[in-house]
Amino acid sequence: MGSMMRKLVCFFLVLIAVAAGCFFWLAPEYVDGKRNPVLAHDPYPVSEVAKKLHNDMIIGDWHADSLLWKRNLLQRNSNGHVDFERLAEGNVAIQVFTAVTKSPRGQNYELNSDDAPDNITLLAVGQLWPVRTWSSLLERALYQADKFKKFESNAPQQVKLIRTASDMENLLEKRKTNKQLIGGILGVEGAHVLEGNIENLILLMDAGYRLIGLHHFFDNKLGGSLHGTAGQGLTEFGREVVREIVNRNLILDVAHSSAKVTRDVLAMTDIPIVLSHTGIHSHCKTKRNYSDDLMREIAATGGVIGIGYWADAICDPSPNGVALAIKAAIETVGEDHVSLGSDFDGAVATSFDASELGSLTQAMIDAGLSEVQIRKVMGENMLRVLRARLDK
């Protein structure tokens, strides 16, 4: 090989190395920033009355996908919506962290095939997740649980994994003197993570998972997604999974499930059902939101509807828009059945991040909600369901 040829080979090898470095180092942060933006805004005014109320409440949120991204949640990040510092600034006591394990290419609210190319595989490779996660949905969930527990191990005064009702009560007691302490509950966004094997539910529980969403954007072995191809109800395997969720004192989340699946769940259970992140159809008429009648059936279980913060669920994602969506939810299902379900870091744009949650308290005051209603929505309704479902 001549000298010129060797130089060309070295040049192309360097190019390949640089390209690989950009892919593994720069691309994940770029994608995170593009997929989870906070819309530009001036500082939101929050009155002293709203600040006092906000800081006196127990606040909880049913849905954030922050563990999906290559982010150290123990430090403040410029990307996305959530880290523990910003949660503390927003006075959030309890945050559900949901593991996303599969997402179809070209995902939309209308129609997705379960065999479409998967976005999370490329993200897992690009973020240098362990090789075992590249081909296993279960391992992706277990890895995200490991990420959370590493945060807890490195900062026990800042992060606490909640597995039981006792864990939760202990956390709330500690927060009386340490408002920096955040309780995390692990959930899965779609029981396709079970990979068709009910025994994998035990592995998820052992890893700390306590909330089980049945579906995400595509049909799976449990039944139909709200955004799938057929809208079918629960399969026999789906019914088996629901029974195990009930019997093992787990929290059942019907977000993204087909209306038929949700009605099948309601017919076979007698527990509070959670719809973790959504909007109200009569308020914002999109495919993402169930009919108001079905929302009332979910509320009748003693469950809760988590109102999201993004435009496709509530039409107006400003703090005032979220407050009006919450007000519409109260008018539809009652003040005892409305919660927060931000969908922070769920590849959605929001008008505020976790640190700015006081602006929502201000907006609810401005919308005419009472202090009792605001306290229920911000956390009391969530606590009631958690106390009813978690093992003591």
Side-chain angles (χ1 to χ4, degrees):
M1 182 184 294
S3 175
M4 181 60 69
M5 182 61 70
R6 283 196 297 270
K7 289 179 179 178
L8 284 173
V9 169
C10 290
F11 175 74
F12 283 113
L13 288 175
V14 169
L15 279 182
I16 292 170
V18 169
C22 289
F23 176 73
F24 290 114
W25 182 254
L26 299 178
E29 183 175 357
Y30 174 79
V31 171
D32 184 4
K34 295 292 284 187
R35 298 296 288 170
N36 299 301
V38 179
L39 301 175
H41 61 273
D42 293 329
Y44 297 115
V46 180
S47 68
E48 290 303 317
V49 170
K51 288 178 183 177
K52 182 177 179 181
L53 174 58
H54 188 83
N55 292 330
D56 189 53
M57 291 190 289
I58 296 172
I59 299 173
D61 177 9
W62 284 107
H63 197 92
D65 296 330
S66 313
L67 294 173
L68 178 62
W69 307 99
K70 189 177 182 179
R71 233 185 277 158
N72 180 1
L73 299 183
L74 293 178
Q75 64 186 31
R76 193 180 190 92
N77 291 268
S78 58
N79 275 346
H81 308 126
V82 166
D83 48 56
F84 295 114
E85 183 175 330
R86 284 184 283 178
L87 287 170
E89 287 182 18
N91 194 34
V92 176
I94 299 173
Q95 177 66 61
V96 176
F97 290 93
T98 10
V100 178
T101 58
K102 182 179 176 181
S103 172
R105 193 79 48 83
Q107 79 174 32
N108 61 85
Y109 290 127
E110 301 299 325
L111 188 71
N112 299 277
S113 171
D114 61 353
D115 60 1
D118 171 42
N119 290 321
I120 306 304
T121 300
L122 183 60
L123 192 64
V125 174
Q127 294 186 147
L128 294 177
W129 286 14
V131 173
R132 69 179 188 275
T133 68
W134 296 3
S135 59
S136 169
L137 305 185
L138 175 65
E139 290 294 344
R140 291 175 190 177
L142 297 178
Y143 174 65
Q144 289 178 68
D146 287 343
K147 286 176 67 176
F148 184 92
K149 286 182 279 191
K150 186 172 292 185
F151 294 140
E152 180 184 33
S153 176
N154 289 337
Q157 299 305 311
Q158 193 176 1
V159 185
K160 172 63 180 176
L161 176 62
I162 294 174
R163 297 172 182 261
T164 65
S166 295
D167 288 342
M168 184 176 71
E169 302 301 343
N170 289 337
L171 173 110
L172 295 177
E173 185 64 30
K174 289 179 179 178
R175 276 183 56 83
K176 292 178 180 178
T177 56
N178 177 16
K179 285 295 190 78
Q180 303 303 306
L181 181 61
I182 311 297
I185 296 175
L186 295 179
V188 293
E189 190 158 27
H192 43 272
V193 70
L194 296 173
E195 298 180 336
N197 184 351
I198 193 66
E199 294 180 4
N200 286 336
L201 186 62
I202 304 299
L203 296 180
L204 292 174
M205 291 183 64
D206 289 345
Y209 284 96
R210 291 298 181 267
L211 180 144
I212 308 296
L214 302 182
H215 292 91
H216 201 198
F217 273 90
F218 51 92
D219 301 335
N220 61 30
K221 292 182 179 179
L222 286 80
S225 165
L226 183 63
H227 326 287
T229 59
Q232 69 264 38
L234 286 170
T235 63
E236 283 308 310
F237 179 65
R239 291 178 180 277
E240 182 183 10
V241 172
V242 168
R243 284 191 291 268
E244 286 298 302
I245 291 171
V246 172
N247 292 338
R248 295 184 180 279
N249 292 102
L250 300 173
I251 302 151
L252 198 159
D253 180 8
V254 294
H256 293 293
S257 291
S258 71
K260 183 66 168 63
V261 161
T262 297
R263 289 195 167 93
D264 287 347
V265 167
L266 295 173
M268 65 178 291
T269 61
D270 186 24
I271 63 170
I273 300 298
V274 171
L275 176 51
S276 63
H277 56 305
T278 186
I280 298 296
H281 192 268
S282 59
H283 176 76
C284 183
K285 295 178 174 61
T286 72
K287 175 70 182 291
R288 180 64 180 78
N289 299 332
Y290 286 155
S291 70
D292 289 11
D293 285 344
L294 185 50
M295 292 291 202
R296 283 187 279 266
E297 291 181 48
I298 295 169
T301 69
V304 288
I305 311 299
I307 299 300
Y309 303 167
W310 77 105
D312 288 330
I314 60 171
C315 290
D316 174 5
S318 70
N320 289 337
V322 180
L324 291 177
I326 288 170
K327 186 174 183 178
I330 289 173
E331 292 168 352
T332 302
V333 301
E335 65 186 46
D336 294 326
H337 306 288
V338 183
S339 281
L340 304 181
S342 63
D343 202 18
F344 274 154
D345 292 326
V348 297
T350 67
S351 293
F352 54 94
D353 66 14
S355 71
E356 301 173 288
L357 202 53
S359 65
L360 179 55
T361 298
Q362 180 67 64
M364 285 192 284
I365 292 173
D366 294 343
L369 298 187
S370 70
E371 179 178 330
V372 169
Q373 290 174 321
I374 293 170
R375 286 181 180 275
K376 286 181 177 181
V377 170
M378 293 296 269
E380 290 179 0
N381 291 337
M382 182 185 196
L383 291 180
R384 186 191 73 249
V385 173
L386 293 175
R387 285 167 175 150
R389 288 305 301 155
L390 292 175
D391 276 331
K392 305 307 179 188

